[in-house]
Amino acid sequence: MNKISIITATYNAELYLENLIKSIAAQNDTNLEFIIVDGGSTDRTLDIIRSYQHVIDTWISEKDNGIYDAWNKGIQMANGGWIMFLGADDYLSDNAISTYRNTISSLNSNSNVEFICSKVQIVDRERKPIWVNGDKWEWPKFKYRMTVAHPGALHSRTLFVKYGLFSLNYKITGDFEFLLRA
């Protein structure tokens, strides 16, 4: 089964990063790669990263040009056939990776699926649900607005081979622009 690479960009993320790391460790998946690209944090973020090096496969801390630059660095470090981007304040539900793996396994070997998306539950600080984000992929809707939740998505490596990396010309919509290219 194809390795799944999880890439997280951080910058001064000490408040939430540990919860994300613990949720990844709880997945109990041996074919999972976790990469953190830190933008030169000045808080306790690096201490947290160092204390969880047994969960994190690769990490760097250096100045970057925003989240899409950090994600591009992560893509270049990733070994997985599928890539997921999670924010430091995101976390995976129990068995999330197993659910993604089941979806991947159900695909026909001749399938040209390059993007898998799911719904994402938005929660408050106490993890109480606020709303659910993410719609079924429908091109007519998507070409006008981001209808999928990026943290709930898997990108096949072939997407980046075909369409390049994230553009650094966008500060907050680079993920949408990338998917529009595809």
Side-chain angles (χ1 to χ4, degrees), residues 149-164:
H150 223 97
L154 284 178
H155 304 71
S156 171
R157 176 172 291 287
T158 60
L159 273 177
F160 300 105
V161 172
K162 286 181 184 178
Y163 303 104

Side-chain angles (χ1 to χ4, degrees), residues 7 20 32 61 73 90 101 122 129 145-146 150 153 169:
I7 298 170
L20 169 65
L32 188 66
S61 181
K73 290 177 183 182
D90 294 328
R101 287 212 183 277
I122 309 299
R145 69 177 178 87
M146 183 75 154
H150 223 97
N169 294 326

Side-chain angles (χ1 to χ4, degrees), residues 1-75:
M1 172 73 55
N2 246 335
K3 181 176 284 201
I4 295 174
S5 297
I6 298 174
I7 298 170
T8 298
T10 60
Y11 181 73
N12 291 343
E14 70 178 338
L15 294 179
Y16 301 102
L17 182 58
E18 189 169 21
N19 287 330
L20 169 65
I21 295 170
K22 287 179 178 180
S23 79
I24 291 170
Q27 298 299 308
N28 294 322
D29 191 299
T30 58
N31 208 8
L32 188 66
E33 174 183 51
F34 184 31
I35 298 166
I36 295 180
V37 182
D38 179 75
S41 291
T42 57
D43 65 356
R44 290 186 47 253
T45 298
L46 298 181
D47 294 332
I48 294 166
I49 291 170
R50 286 183 190 104
S51 69
Y52 285 96
Q53 287 191 97
H54 62 286
V55 178
I56 302 162
D57 294 280
T58 306
W59 68 276
I60 60 169
S61 181
E62 61 188 26
K63 183 161 176 38
D64 57 47
N65 291 308
I67 190 167
Y68 301 114
D69 185 30
W71 283 2
N72 288 342
K73 290 177 183 182
I75 292 166

Side-chain angles (χ1 to χ4, degrees), residues 25-172:
Q27 298 299 308
N28 294 322
D29 191 299
T30 58
N31 208 8
L32 188 66
E33 174 183 51
F34 184 31
I35 298 166
I36 295 180
V37 182
D38 179 75
S41 291
T42 57
D43 65 356
R44 290 186 47 253
T45 298
L46 298 181
D47 294 332
I48 294 166
I49 291 170
R50 286 183 190 104
S51 69
Y52 285 96
Q53 287 191 97
H54 62 286
V55 178
I56 302 162
D57 294 280
T58 306
W59 68 276
I60 60 169
S61 181
E62 61 188 26
K63 183 161 176 38
D64 57 47
N65 291 308
I67 190 167
Y68 301 114
D69 185 30
W71 283 2
N72 288 342
K73 290 177 183 182
I75 292 166
Q76 292 168 339
M77 290 186 273
N79 295 306
W82 290 93
I83 299 173
M84 174 184 278
F85 300 94
L86 293 176
D89 60 345
D90 294 328
Y91 68 93
L92 290 172
S93 299
D94 294 341
N95 302 313
I97 297 299
S98 294
T99 302
Y100 285 111
R101 287 212 183 277
N102 290 339
T103 299
I104 294 167
S105 293
S106 71
L107 298 173
N108 181 321
S109 62
N110 296 326
S111 173
N112 60 356
V113 172
E114 296 175 320
F115 184 76
I116 298 171
C117 58
S118 66
K119 293 185 182 289
V120 174
Q121 189 170 56
I122 309 299
V123 298
D124 65 16
R125 289 181 187 218
E126 287 77 38
R127 293 192 178 181
K128 292 180 184 158
I130 299 172
W131 82 86
V132 174
N133 186 20
D135 295 332
K136 179 180 174 185
W137 177 273
E138 294 179 17
W139 173 246
K141 287 183 184 179
F142 188 82
K143 66 183 177 180
Y144 294 108
R145 69 177 178 87
M146 183 75 154
T147 58
V148 298
H150 223 97
L154 284 178
H155 304 71
S156 171
R157 176 172 291 287
T158 60
L159 273 177
F160 300 105
V161 172
K162 286 181 184 178
Y163 303 104
L165 298 174
F166 293 102
S167 172
L168 302 187
N169 294 326
Y170 301 90
K171 295 295 179 199
I172 60 171

